[in-house]
Amino acid sequence: MTLAIIAAYLLLVLAIGWGSARAFRGTGVDYFVATRSIGSLLLLTSLFGTNMTAFSLLGASGEAYRRGIGVFALMASSTALVAPLVFLTIAPRVWGLGKRHGYLTQVEMVRDRWGSDRLGALLFAFQVVLLVPYLLIGIKGGGLTLAQITEGTVPEWAGSLAITLVVLVYVTAGGLRGTAWANAAQTAVFTLLGGVTFWIIVRSFGGLSAAFARVAEVEPELLVRGARVQPLELLSYMAIPLSVVGFPHIFLHWLTAKSARSFRLPVVAYPICVAAVWVPSVSIGVLGAVDFPGLEGPAANSILIQMIGRYAPGVLAGFLAAGVLAAVMSSLDSQTLALANMFTHDIVKHYRYRDRMSDRLEILAGRGFVTLVLAITYSLSLVIDQSIFRLGVWSFSGFAALTPLFVAALYWRRSTRAGACAALGAAIVTWFAFLVRGWSQPAYTVGDSGLMPVVVILAASGLALWLVSLVTRAPGDERLARFFPPAETAP
Amino acid sequence: MLKSLLFWLAAVALFVLHNDVWWWHDATPILGVPIGLAYHFGFCLVTALLMAVAARRLGSDDS
């Protein structure tokens, strides 16, 4: 039954991708940004589905099993505030500039803003380094989870392969439009299934009050932040969701908006969507302590699957598998397309064709890179071990570290090319230094104080940008006029 | 200008309120849910309300 539901779900996603391909207009802009035609609702589901990975469903439960309800404040409500603020202040500006100048990647925008190919190349390299592990985590995590849910009937390699092939088909066929349509369905699926799972489990406990009362008897420390979350950690974790500023896949979705007005719904509804997905995930993790006390490592991470097995095996397990697939694929598709977009425009179009490329060639290159990226990532997922999962939070920190660079590009006229290079250089060096230092400690914080390394990385990058920009020559009016309306560039 | 200032003051206030150290060790249930979780659920809803006010200016000139 579980396998039948999984197969039916994959066919549904393929059908949606196939349907979207019928609307394809045959241009490069349509393939990569759906001719900037995406309305509010699709934009919301695209942004939310892309940003919520399988680990929002599973990882949050595992983390809550270990650390209690504090996980919601750390990872969810912080995102509920920061992400809409970014969608409100950064996204519409990016969309406007993209429409005016035809940017399709962050590298194109940064290169143009400060007139530096080298800066663009360095940004490209850093983003690829951060994005590839993120893709690997999706493919490998999806395969592992499917293997667990089906109790080995679907081996890890087969689960990963199924996910990769389905994404390959609908992304190559429909481009960004296919991704947006599929994301809408997938976001609905994993949000709904999370809620249904939560309701069934809580009902089995005798209601919400009875459920948490049982936890209070067994492990009351899970119902408070207590010693499991440090106040400084809660404060500094707020910087992690800034990663939405630097994510190439989120940037790509911003460019698809039909108008600046299209951002209204994502800005307003995002916090509600976050609460709708994370409250069930965190609560189920905490309730897991009643039935499965003392789990550690990977067993703790799979607490949601174990709870399903205990309270609602059979059909619900099949639907949960579909929900996990939805969460994995709704991120994987956008990340793959973003990476293919970067290789097509930042490398091939810029260096080989000097920014002039026919639509036919652009689409061909895009589809080729989507295939290549997925083939390489899938192959790597077969040989790499589970230590790759440790890169997850570091990937987020790296993207968040790009915030000073992008904010300066959009808001600070006095920022200079040298300042931007210094900001990016400082971000890369400090990120790498912390990665080396914290690699062997999964919950590493600066000096065990609770301070997340991302705060130090952001400070270093921002300071370098500010100091170097102030001591170097201000950019010319002509360049500024491209980024700021004429009234703003007047002295 | 004033509206913008008020919005950012409210956003900073939310940032401060996010760090609810005052019931760090309190598990009192609110509608059956521990207060530390119920509070942050409410925090998400209040954030959505603030964003609803701020988002009205988006697209007024479509730029």
Side-chain angles (χ1 to χ4, degrees), chain A residues 35-40 43 87 91-93 95-96 99 253-266, chain B residues 58-63:
Chain A
T35 321
R36 306 179 202 279
S37 64
I38 301 293
S40 291
L43 189 61
F87 297 161
R93 274 205 180 217
W95 171 81
K99 192 179 172 193
H253 280 295
W254 289 345
L255 296 180
T256 66
K258 189 186 284 181
S259 68
R261 193 182 283 256
S262 307
F263 288 99
R264 285 184 182 182
L265 184 63
Chain B
L58 273 177
S60 50
D61 57 355
D62 237 21
S63 60

Side-chain angles (χ1 to χ4, degrees), chain A residues 23 35 75 109 125 178 192 197 211 218 320 366 389 392 412 467 475:
Chain A
T35 321
M75 299 174 185
M109 188 180 81
L192 195 67
T197 307
V218 177
L320 174 71
F389 292 107
W412 195 29
L467 287 176

Side-chain angles (χ1 to χ4, degrees), chain A residues 349-491:
Chain A
K349 188 176 180 183
H350 184 65
Y351 291 108
R352 172 72 178 81
Y353 292 94
R354 298 187 181 278
D355 295 320
R356 288 175 190 180
M357 206 172 174
S358 70
D359 275 328
R360 197 185 64 80
L361 208 54
E362 218 172 308
I363 297 163
L364 193 67
R367 286 176 167 156
F369 279 121
V370 166
T371 310
L372 199 64
V373 164
L374 284 173
I376 292 173
T377 315
Y378 174 70
S379 305
L380 282 175
S381 78
L382 298 176
V383 292
I384 210 146
D385 66 20
Q386 292 193 31
S387 62
I388 188 73
F389 292 107
R390 275 190 271 165
L391 266 177
V393 73
W394 290 104
S395 175
F396 275 81
S397 298
F399 282 116
L402 298 173
T403 302
L405 183 76
F406 290 119
V407 169
L410 300 171
Y411 282 100
W412 195 29
R413 282 172 288 174
R414 183 63 182 78
S415 59
T416 66
R417 180 191 305 172
C421 290
L424 183 56
I428 293 171
V429 168
T430 47
W431 176 82
F432 189 70
F434 275 119
L435 174 69
V436 171
R437 201 177 172 82
W439 181 248
S440 53
Q441 292 173 256
Y444 174 80
T445 58
V446 181
D448 284 331
S449 63
L451 185 71
M452 299 299 290
V454 65
V455 174
V456 181
I457 302 171
L458 272 170
S461 178
L463 196 64
L465 174 78
W466 183 61
L467 287 176
V468 177
S469 289
L470 288 185
V471 297
T472 47
R473 200 157 63 90
D477 284 347
E478 198 182 328
R479 189 165 292 285
L480 287 177
R482 283 178 65 75
F483 269 72
F484 301 95
E488 288 182 38
T489 54

Side-chain angles (χ1 to χ4, degrees), chain A residues 73 77 212 225-226 229 235 264, chain B residues 18-20 24 40 55-56 58:
Chain A
S77 57
F212 282 112
R225 262 66 63 82
V229 178
L235 179 72
R264 285 184 182 182
Chain B
H18 185 261
N19 296 278
D20 57 328
W24 204 261
H40 281 274
R56 283 188 301 182
L58 273 177

Side-chain angles (χ1 to χ4, degrees), chain A residues 222-259:
Chain A
L222 289 176
L223 303 181
V224 294
R225 262 66 63 82
R228 301 189 186 197
V229 178
Q230 300 184 61
L232 195 54
E233 187 182 8
L234 180 61
L235 179 72
S236 57
Y237 219 96
M238 196 66 121
I240 297 276
L242 281 173
S243 51
V244 293
V245 178
F247 281 150
H249 41 290
I250 294 290
F251 179 91
L252 196 59
H253 280 295
W254 289 345
L255 296 180
T256 66
K258 189 186 284 181
S259 68

Side-chain angles (χ1 to χ4, degrees), chain A residues 69 72-73 77-78 80-81 84-85 88-89 92 208-209 212 223-226 229-231 234-235 238 259-261 263-264 267-268 271-272 275 279 283, chain B residues 7-8 11 14-15 18-21 23-27 31-34 36-37 40-41 43-45 47-48 51-52 54-59 62-63:
Chain A
I69 56 147
F72 186 84
S77 57
S78 56
L81 177 62
L85 278 177
L88 186 73
T89 54
L208 212 51
S209 300
F212 282 112
L223 303 181
V224 294
R225 262 66 63 82
V229 178
Q230 300 184 61
L234 180 61
L235 179 72
M238 196 66 121
S259 68
R261 193 182 283 256
F263 288 99
R264 285 184 182 182
V267 165
V268 177
I272 299 168
V279 167
S283 300
Chain B
F7 168 75
W8 283 108
L14 278 180
F15 175 78
H18 185 261
N19 296 278
D20 57 328
V21 287
W23 36 59
W24 204 261
H25 300 281
D26 190 350
L31 299 173
V33 179
L37 183 57
H40 281 274
F41 176 72
F43 178 91
C44 292
L45 301 185
T47 303
M51 294 301 156
R56 283 188 301 182
R57 75 177 176 84
L58 273 177
D62 237 21
S63 60

